[in-house]
Amino acid sequence: MIITNNIRKAIESKEHCFPISENGVEGVPHDHVNRYNLLRDIMNNLALKSVLDLGCGSGYGSLILDDYIEYTGIELSEGAVEFANLNVKPYRCLSEFICGDMVQILPTIKPSEYEMISLVESLDHLGIKGQTLLSLAIMKLKPKFVFISCLRR
């Protein structure tokens, strides 16, 4: 596993979950893994082939989804995206990880480009203004489905 100074800072911030094994999710809390298992099952049952994961963190969720699913993750943390690109992407050829503010990036995405938009444990990190802007952007994108999972804090 490749760990740079940028990645180390992200790990130490404890804002994100990082797997401790290559090509796996060992070290990620079971509740997070279960939510991505549920997303995978829903996508399989609905025969969906593309997902935009908002607030993707270290990208471990893409490892849980089936290989044929085109996965794009957006994450604000540079260290988490660097981790995903160096340690996750080599195992997921149909994946892309973008660093930036999801609320600013979403308006640049073409409508109907993704069949599913997922927010796994990320909505609770946005304030009311961010949630409102995100809702408007998601409506503009017109996905077939939206999957939202939040922890109680």
Side-chain angles (χ1 to χ4, degrees):
M1 201 171 304
I2 301 168
I3 305 293
T4 64
N5 286 337
N6 217 11
I7 294 171
R8 187 170 286 105
K9 287 179 190 172
I11 292 170
E12 290 169 356
S13 76
K14 299 188 191 279
E15 277 289 313
H16 305 285
C17 300
F18 290 86
I20 58 172
S21 63
E22 287 199 26
N23 191 21
V25 294
E26 184 182 347
V28 175
H30 293 295
D31 56 340
H32 287 250
V33 172
N34 290 341
R35 286 173 178 91
Y36 276 102
N37 284 331
L38 178 60
L39 175 61
R40 181 198 59 222
D41 293 347
I42 291 168
M43 291 190 71
N44 287 342
N45 288 335
L46 298 171
L48 302 179
K49 295 184 177 23
S50 62
V51 61
L52 176 63
D53 190 12
L54 303 176
C56 69
S58 63
Y60 69 85
S62 69
L63 296 171
I64 297 169
L65 302 177
D66 289 336
D67 289 337
Y68 68 85
I69 294 173
E70 292 180 38
Y71 177 95
T72 301
I74 298 176
E75 172 58 49
L76 188 59
S77 166
E78 290 178 26
V81 172
E82 188 175 338
F83 180 92
N85 281 316
L86 292 173
N87 298 295
V88 175
K89 190 171 179 141
Y91 300 101
R92 278 284 296 169
C93 59
L94 294 176
S95 65
E96 178 183 13
F97 299 97
I98 301 168
C99 185
D101 183 336
M102 67 178 91
V103 175
Q104 293 176 0
I105 293 172
L106 283 175
T108 67
I109 296 172
K110 293 181 285 189
S112 302
E113 187 172 345
Y114 296 97
E115 295 175 304
M116 172 74 81
I117 294 178
S118 65
L119 294 99
V120 178
E121 319 315 335
S122 55
L123 190 63
D124 47 343
H125 292 279
L126 300 174
I128 294 297
K129 182 180 177 187
Q131 291 175 11
T132 302
L133 292 171
L134 181 64
S135 299
L136 294 172
I138 288 173
M139 285 190 292
K140 176 193 170 261
L141 290 180
K142 300 179 182 163
K144 290 180 181 176
F145 299 93
V146 176
F147 178 86
I148 298 174
S149 165
C150 294
L151 291 174
R152 285 186 155 199
R153 295 187 191 245

